[in-house]
Structure formats: structure tokens, C-alpha cells
Amino acid sequence: MPEGHTLYRLAADLQRAFGGHAVVAKSPQGRFSESAALLDGRVLESAESAGKHLFLRFDNDLILHVHLGLIGGFRISSAPVEPPFGEVRLRLVGPSSYADLRGATRCELISDEKLDLVLTRLGPDPLRADADPDRGFARMHRSGKSVGALLMDQRVLAGVGNIFRAESLFRARLHPLTPGERITKRRWNALWTDLVALMAYGVQTGRIDTVRPEHEPEAMRREPRVDRHGGEVYVYRRSGQPCHVCGSKVKTQLLEGRNLYWCSVCQRRR
DNA sequence: TCAAGATGATCAG
DNA sequence: TGATCCTCTTGAT
């Protein structure tokens, strides 16, 4: 259940575990058997992420494209190799470890042309040094949809999911239903800069921590606020609980099928 | 033991 | 906008 920083870490972990080695590729579940056969015995040349997409390039010019979706997982384990349990779509076995892919929304072999097509459709990724935030602003600024909906749109920002959306909007004190066309360049730049920092921290730690001592005055520190995803957050999944800053109840609402969280006092509508 | 929900995206209408 | 796909965890019974 990843956001962009998780995919970034996963790509690095896969590169470390399998990069430069021939892998054994199987589909214990059977749904990916034909494609797995094309990868079996091939050398993994590189593993990279873009937004929430993962790309593994092999020495036969095939690229494995994976999108974990809401529920997918790609778990790397150390040898010895255990028998697969549950629904393992793809298993890669390397010299000293193996990785099991489950529940992915997308798992396919693609060419360089298709790779370019996927990348073209993505907005700027805050984790990539070559990202151009102005492209995201252009999409945001000409849309009447809410900033809450637009932050989840991967054509606007690649890699941002429900947690980063809720937390970055809280930290910017922006109401999630503010129309995108009313987001100024200055506000957009502040949002972008914050997401770059938050997601880079997520890459380092593997957690989404939005409440950190260096971000908030000592007086605001109270009891630990760890969500079950493993990080400290202000509003995500805290509906009905008091806001850590002002004490009013955190609100929630379904927006385009996803839960939205915000504090109506700290994030007033303008 | 079982149903609901979840860090997501796509497609049809 | 709603239905659908995918798997696992959590919480209710």
C-alpha cells in the first residue's frame, strides 16, 4: 500500500538484491506464467521508480512494469527460499534473496516505447531531481476541481497518495476543497517544497512522518501520534479526534471515492 | 469466523 | 460517477 517514497525505496532494494545477477522468475499463482518465462534466467540491469510505478529492466530489452495499486506488495526476503504462500503473482529469486509480488494492479512486460508513454502521462515526481514543478502547477491552475482531488491526480503530481495529500494540505493550512484554479504560484511552490522534503524523509526512514520537532515548536509536542502505517501525522485517519494544533475535531469526507481528512479551523476555506 | 476497509487506477456509461 | 480488480488486516460478532 505504497506512496511514491515506498516505490523509490523498493526500487533501490531490488537493485541491491538482484541488480547485475541472473534471476529465476516464476509465477506460483499462474497468472503471470508466460511473461515470467521470458524473464527466467535473465540479468536484471536496473530497477527504477517513477511516481508509484516500478520498472525493472532486463538484459533482453524487456521491462517489467509494476503498479502495486491500493493493496499490492513486493516483499524481499533473505535466503533460504521458502515455499510461496497465498497469491504470489511473481517470484524473483537471486543469489542471496528472493522477492514475492502480490496483489498488484499492474504487472506486465513492456517495451521502451510503452515506458515512454507511461512516463509522459505522469506529472512531476517530488523525489526526482529532474522534476519540473511548473508542469504540475499548469495543470492545477487551469482546473476547477478541488486541490484535494488534484493532489491525488498522478498527472499533476506523481507519487503523492492519500497520506501525503492530507498532511501536506494541513501543513500548508489549505482547505482541501479549494479550487485548483485559486492556488497561487507562491502557494504551489510552498506545497511542492514541502512535499520534496517530506517524501525525501520518507525515503530515508520508510515512514511518513509529518509531525517532526524541527517542523513544530516544542509547545505543540504532546503524546506520540503514530498511525498504524507507522508514522506521526496531523489529520490522516484521525477523523473525530482533536486537532493537535487547535483542538477542534478532525473532519472527514469521501472525495472521488477516497477518504479526505482535514481540520476545518486550521484549514479554513478562503 | 466473516465482512469491511484500505497508502490506487481504469473503464463503461 | 459508479463498478471493478487485486490481497491482506482489522474489528465486529
Side-chain angles (χ1 to χ4, degrees):
Chain A
M1 294 182 270
E3 300 203 14
H5 69 297
T6 310
L7 270 298
Y8 192 97
R9 285 170 61 92
L10 177 59
D13 290 345
L14 288 167
Q15 177 71 40
R16 263 193 300 277
F18 305 106
H21 298 287
V23 298
V24 174
K26 302 283 181 216
S27 177
Q29 177 199 51
R31 287 186 50 183
F32 196 62
S33 295
E34 286 184 24
S35 298
L38 297 175
L39 301 181
D40 196 27
R42 311 306 309 200
V43 173
L44 175 72
E45 292 187 335
S46 66
E48 279 189 86
S49 71
K52 299 171 191 169
H53 297 257
L54 178 69
F55 303 101
L56 305 188
R57 182 183 291 275
F58 290 84
D59 67 349
N60 55 355
D61 289 332
L62 283 176
I63 300 163
L64 174 65
H65 173 212
V66 172
H67 194 297
L68 296 178
L70 190 60
I71 59 175
F74 209 165
R75 184 183 300 171
I76 303 173
S77 307
S78 300
V81 178
E82 301 285 343
F85 62 91
E87 297 291 318
V88 178
R89 182 87 56 89
L90 172 67
R91 168 171 280 189
L92 297 177
V93 183
S96 58
S97 54
Y98 63 101
D100 285 346
L101 174 68
R102 301 162 198 271
T105 293
R106 195 162 286 272
C107 174
E108 60 182 357
L109 294 181
I110 61 172
S111 61
D112 276 300
E113 290 73 27
K114 177 72 188 296
L115 170 63
D116 288 341
L117 196 63
V118 175
L119 295 178
T120 307
R121 287 179 183 158
L122 289 178
D125 179 346
L127 286 173
R128 292 186 73 105
D130 58 355
D132 175 12
D134 289 351
R135 279 179 55 224
F137 177 69
R139 283 188 180 276
M140 167 84 61
H141 195 57
R142 63 172 181 256
S143 175
K145 292 176 79 173
S146 65
V147 63
L150 289 164
L151 282 190
M152 294 280 281
D153 185 338
Q154 300 299 295
R155 294 168 299 183
V156 175
L157 277 173
V160 171
N162 208 5
I163 306 179
F164 281 127
R165 162 176 77 170
E167 296 300 303
S168 63
L169 287 175
F170 179 88
R171 289 161 58 94
R173 302 298 191 263
L174 256 175
H175 194 289
L177 299 183
T178 307
E181 61 201 1
R182 294 188 55 191
I183 301 299
T184 62
K185 185 72 189 303
R186 189 174 167 189
R187 278 197 164 263
W188 169 262
N189 286 341
L191 255 181
W192 173 266
T193 304
D194 199 33
L195 279 167
V196 168
L198 286 177
M199 293 176 74
Y201 181 85
V203 168
Q204 283 176 28
T205 62
R207 309 168 31 142
I208 298 180
D209 281 304
T210 60
V211 184
R212 283 185 276 156
E214 64 266 37
H215 288 151
E216 304 297 341
E218 190 65 29
M220 281 172 51
R221 301 289 296 171
R222 304 177 193 183
E223 72 282 2
R225 306 150 184 169
V226 177
D227 178 74
R228 68 170 182 268
H229 82 276
E232 282 189 272
V233 291
Y234 283 110
V235 291
Y236 174 71
R237 211 146 53 184
R238 295 194 61 248
S239 57
Q241 297 177 51
C243 169
H244 294 311
V245 175
C246 74
S248 60
K249 285 186 177 176
V250 172
K251 296 203 165 197
T252 186
Q253 168 186 326
L254 213 55
L255 177 68
E256 297 191 0
R258 307 300 303 282
N259 289 318
L260 183 64
Y261 305 89
W262 77 99
C263 169
S264 58
V265 173
C266 294
Q267 297 165 266
R268 285 189 191 285
R269 275 187 133 154
R270 293 161 196 272

